[in-house]
Amino acid sequence: MILEESIYDRFLDRLVERAKKIVVGNGMDEDTEMGPLISESHMNRVLSYIELGVDEGAKLLCGGNRLVENGLGNGFFVEPTILEAANPSLRIVQEEIFGPVLVVQKFRSEEEAIRLANGTKYGLAGAVFTNDGAKAQRVIRKLRAGITWINTYHPTFNEAPWGGYKQSGIGRELGTFGYEAYTEVKQININLQVKPTGWFRN
């Protein structure tokens, strides 16, 4: 997440407060808002990224631990975690964690926000949140990501192409783009007036 400087502190305080209230538990429980990770090895990978982020200089704002209380010890649960990163070169900024970990950076200008957003070798998804419609259109067109949103996140359509930029994928799935990815195109030329071509003298 890249936050504008003018709202940074106020927004971050409220974000941390809300993240701490996320109900983590069994996915079969209707009260659960966030379930476990897929495996123990992946949980350990996510926890190692959190530790690495702190070691490299990120500030841990909330979370960061495995959850084991209230019966969660039988699964692979990690607390909703927020890290503040002043340095865009940190691995937690540059690499995909695929866990309940949010890394927050600050920007001062539109150009800086775009540079930070595009400053990794990955580009699967991204979103722009703003009350300025013109700014949203400018920025979203400059994001190097294959799936994007304005003022929302995550709803998608099967009719639209799905896939990332850079190291986040090759080609597109879904919609006519996905169909064409599994189709080989052939050029066929037909002569409907069959007669000597005149290439050679008689």
Side-chain angles (χ1 to χ4, degrees):
M1 174 178 282
I2 303 168
L3 284 174
E4 188 171 2
E5 184 179 42
S6 62
I7 64 166
Y8 187 84
D9 293 330
R10 179 164 45 96
F11 189 99
L12 200 52
D13 287 344
R14 294 182 64 183
L15 180 65
V16 169
E17 180 183 343
R18 179 61 186 89
K20 290 178 178 179
K21 295 178 181 177
I22 293 174
V23 179
V24 181
N26 190 321
M28 302 301 290
D29 187 335
E30 290 185 1
D31 293 329
T32 293
E33 295 177 309
M34 191 185 87
L37 293 171
I38 190 69
S39 67
E40 184 176 14
S41 62
H42 186 63
M43 176 192 69
N44 290 333
R45 180 176 183 270
V46 170
L47 290 170
S48 70
Y49 263 114
I50 296 169
E51 184 178 356
L52 175 66
V54 173
D55 289 345
E56 288 187 339
K59 182 179 180 182
L60 181 64
L61 301 180
C62 69
N65 301 298
R66 179 181 183 180
L67 291 170
V68 295
E69 297 178 353
N70 301 319
L72 299 183
N74 294 324
F76 312 119
F77 297 89
V78 174
E79 291 177 301
T81 301
I82 300 176
L83 291 155
E84 185 179 22
N87 185 347
S89 67
L90 299 186
R91 283 184 59 189
I92 57 169
V93 174
Q94 292 297 317
E95 299 179 15
E96 296 176 319
I97 300 175
F98 291 110
V101 180
L102 179 66
V103 181
V104 183
Q105 300 177 86
K106 183 188 299 184
F107 74 89
R108 293 169 182 79
S109 67
E110 184 176 316
E111 294 72 23
E112 183 184 15
I114 294 167
R115 186 174 67 254
L116 289 171
N118 290 335
T120 77
K121 62 183 178 180
Y122 299 105
L124 179 57
V128 175
F129 288 82
T130 177
N131 290 325
D132 186 332
K135 179 186 287 186
Q137 292 290 335
R138 283 196 311 271
V139 174
I140 207 78
R141 282 170 168 73
K142 293 177 181 177
L143 287 187
R144 297 286 298 151
I147 308 148
T148 59
W149 298 268
I150 294 175
N151 292 335
T152 187
Y153 198 86
H154 232 289
T156 59
F157 299 90
N158 289 337
E159 301 86 351
W162 176 276
Y165 282 24
K166 300 180 277 187
Q167 295 296 311
S168 289
I170 299 173
R172 292 294 179 267
E173 298 178 87
L174 304 181
T176 57
F177 293 88
Y179 173 79
E180 290 169 358
Y182 292 93
T183 304
E184 286 190 302
V185 178
K186 178 186 293 184
Q187 181 183 138
I188 301 175
N189 299 284
I190 302 174
N191 181 1
L192 298 178
Q193 298 181 12
V194 181
K195 59 183 180 180
T197 61
W199 285 355
F200 306 102
R201 293 190 298 274
N202 291 333

